[in-house]
């Protein structure tokens, strides 16, 4: 029996003084499966950021105590966490100021919810995912610097998409990844291609990493998705 593990928790810190907007964003992000922490002013936001060490910060520009630009600058002294800035103002100097302060992206209120969610995903994806360059699972090795892959001492050549796919599993060993999550990660959030594209790629990826009759480590979880785990 395979235990289905949930994806690891992604923490998002929302720093927004307008309670209605904060509540709305918090609810939507929570529905998407993120763990959301809310701070209602700049100082509190800065403190929360240090305590929580979030994966992403959504930062309003106009805040009491300390404005968003100042919060952003201070955060940048100690962390490279992705920062998505929100503002009611849309003029270009305002955007430049936010980006100069170290924000990764900028969204003008009122914003479209789907756009916010998409930008959150983009920032989480582009976040430097790991420090080490060699990833290992059993006898499978992946070097993220050279993109070299080996099963045992056999070198394996993958297409770019196969590589991305394998990397996703290597980053989440023993976690069942559902189809939607894989498609979104590898083919993008607005992917509208053939239904079986994932199956096709999984098939070719398996053929390659099961070199010399090595046992299957990319397992299918019927009706859910796939998992990288020891053969049963
Ligand atoms: Ca505000």
């Amino acid at each position: 029996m395979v235990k289905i593990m949930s994806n690891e928790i992604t923490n998002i810190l929302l720093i927004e003084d307008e309670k209605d907007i904060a509540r709305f964003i918090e609810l939507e992000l929570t529905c998407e499966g993120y763990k959301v922490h809310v701070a209602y002013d700049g100082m509190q936001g800065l403190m929360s950021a240090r305590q929580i060490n979030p994966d992403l910060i959504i930062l309003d520009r106009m805040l009491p105590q300390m404005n968003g630009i100042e919060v952003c600058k201070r955060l940048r002294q100690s962390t490279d966490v992705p920062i998505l800035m929100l503002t009611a103002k849309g003029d270009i100097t305002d955007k430049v100021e936010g980006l100069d302060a170290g924000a990764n992206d900028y969204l003008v209120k009122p914003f479209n919810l789907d756009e916010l969610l998409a930008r959150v995903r983009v920032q989480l994806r582009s976040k430097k995912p790991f420090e080490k360059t060699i990833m290992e699972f059993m006898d499978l090795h992946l070097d993220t610097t050279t993109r070299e892959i080996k099963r045992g001492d056999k070198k394996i050549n993958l297409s770019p998409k196969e590589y991305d796919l394998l990397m996703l599993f290597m980053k989440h060993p023993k976690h069942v990844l559902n189809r939607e999550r894989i498609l979104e990660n590898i083919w993008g959030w607005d992917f509208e291609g053939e239904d079986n594209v994932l199956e096709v790629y999984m098939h070719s990826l398996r053929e390659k990493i099961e070199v010399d009759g090595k046992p299957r480590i990319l397992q299918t979880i019927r009706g859910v998705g796939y998992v990288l785990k020891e053969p049963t």
Side-chain angles (χ1 to χ4, degrees), residues 16-18 60 62-63 109:
E16 166 65 85
D17 60 310
E18 286 160 79
D60 187 32
M62 301 291 280
L63 290 167
K109 292 179 193 167

Side-chain angles (χ1 to χ4, degrees), residues 57-62 68-69 72 83-109 111 115-116 119-120 123:
I57 296 176
I58 299 175
L59 175 62
D60 187 32
R61 165 94 169 61
M62 301 291 280
I69 296 289
C72 194
I83 298 173
L84 175 55
M85 210 138 177
L86 300 179
T87 184
K89 299 187 205 164
D91 75 37
I92 192 75
T93 53
D94 213 47
K95 282 191 185 181
V96 170
E97 197 185 1
L99 296 171
D100 275 350
N104 299 72
D105 198 3
Y106 210 93
L107 203 54
V108 177
K109 292 179 193 167
F111 49 81
E115 185 177 5
L116 172 73
R119 288 182 185 227
V120 162
Q123 289 305 323

